[in-house]
Amino acid sequence: MAKQFDTSLRNAWLATYESPIGTTPHLHLRTGAPPANCAAANTGTDIVNMTLPSDWMAAPSGGTAGLAGTWSGTVGADNTAGHYRIMNSADTTCFEQGIVTKAFSLTTSASTGAGLNVLTFTSTTGVANGQSVVGTGVPTGATVFSFTSTTVTLTLPCASGVSSSTVVYFGDTTGDLWLNSTVLTAGQTVTISSRSLTAPGA
C-alpha cells in the first residue's frame, strides 16, 4: 500500500506552494526541451512571457489546487513551444518547469454503454485519427479509430462505459502543460484555461 496523507494536510502543503514564488510571477513558453533542472539557465527561445495575476493559485480543495484569475499572454514571434518555466516576478528564479505538448479536451454530450466504443460530443473539432484518448471510463491505450462531426469511435471498447458530461482529452497528454496547438503565431493570444496541482498521498 502506498503512503497516504489526510486531505487537510495535503491542502496545507498546497497552500504553501504559492508563497515562495510570490505575487505576479511570470509563465514563459519556450522552444525545445527544458533545462536539466530549475536552477539551470534558460534554454531555447522565449515565445510567450505572461505575467500571472497577483493571486494566481486557487485555494486547495480535496488535495488539489487550480489556477486563479486569467493566465494569458501574447506570442512574440512564430515558433513551437516545447517547455514552460514559472519564474518569480523579477524573472530571476525558476520555481517550476515542465514539458509542453499538444492536447485538448472535449465533454461528452451523451453516455456510452459498457462494452461500446463510440463517444458522443456536440462537436469533434480538432479530433484526428490516431490521437490518444484519455478520460474516466476510456480504456487505457485507446486511440481514435474514426470520427464524424459529433462522434468518435475508439480502437478499444469502454469496459464500464462513459457517462455524459465526462471530460475527455485528445492528443499527447504526457506533457506537464497542454496547448491546443504548440505551433504559435506572432500576435496570437495564448490563454491557459485550467491547471490541476495535486498533492501526493491520496
Side-chain angles (χ1 to χ4, degrees):
M1 177 179 175
K3 186 181 294 184
Q4 295 178 325
F5 301 104
D6 180 74
T7 300
S8 62
L9 177 59
R10 297 173 67 230
N11 287 342
W13 283 342
L14 289 172
T16 66
Y17 177 88
E18 191 174 16
S19 179
I21 301 175
T23 59
T24 60
H26 293 255
L27 171 63
H28 293 264
L29 299 179
R30 307 182 67 92
T31 60
N37 52 61
C38 287
N42 292 327
T43 58
T45 300
D46 199 12
I47 310 172
V48 180
N49 178 0
M50 62 178 73
T51 300
L52 304 186
S54 179
D55 182 13
W56 49 275
M57 185 168 155
S61 176
T64 299
L67 60 77
T70 301
W71 293 28
S72 186
T74 303
V75 178
D78 296 359
N79 226 316
T80 301
H83 73 279
Y84 76 93
R85 305 193 99 189
I86 294 180
M87 314 282 290
N88 61 355
S89 61
D91 255 346
T92 55
T93 304
C94 175
F95 285 90
E96 178 183 329
Q97 65 177 17
I99 296 171
V100 176
T101 55
K102 179 182 178 180
F104 63 95
S105 66
L106 297 175
T107 302
T108 57
S109 59
S111 60
T112 297
L116 302 180
N117 67 334
V118 178
L119 304 179
T120 303
F121 306 91
T122 57
S123 171
T124 58
T125 299
V127 173
N129 290 337
Q131 283 177 331
S132 296
V133 186
V134 176
T136 302
V138 175
T140 301
T143 61
V144 177
F145 177 75
S146 64
F147 63 96
T148 69
S149 61
T150 58
T151 64
V152 173
T153 300
L154 305 177
T155 53
L156 298 171
C158 304
S160 59
V162 177
S163 301
S164 181
S165 300
T166 296
V167 177
V168 179
Y169 299 94
F170 294 85
D172 185 356
T173 58
T174 62
D176 305 294
L177 185 152
W178 308 337
L179 298 177
N180 289 348
S181 175
T182 56
V183 179
L184 305 177
T185 304
Q188 174 186 351
T189 298
V190 176
T191 300
I192 309 301
S193 58
S194 65
R195 169 180 164 91
S196 182
L197 185 66
T198 301

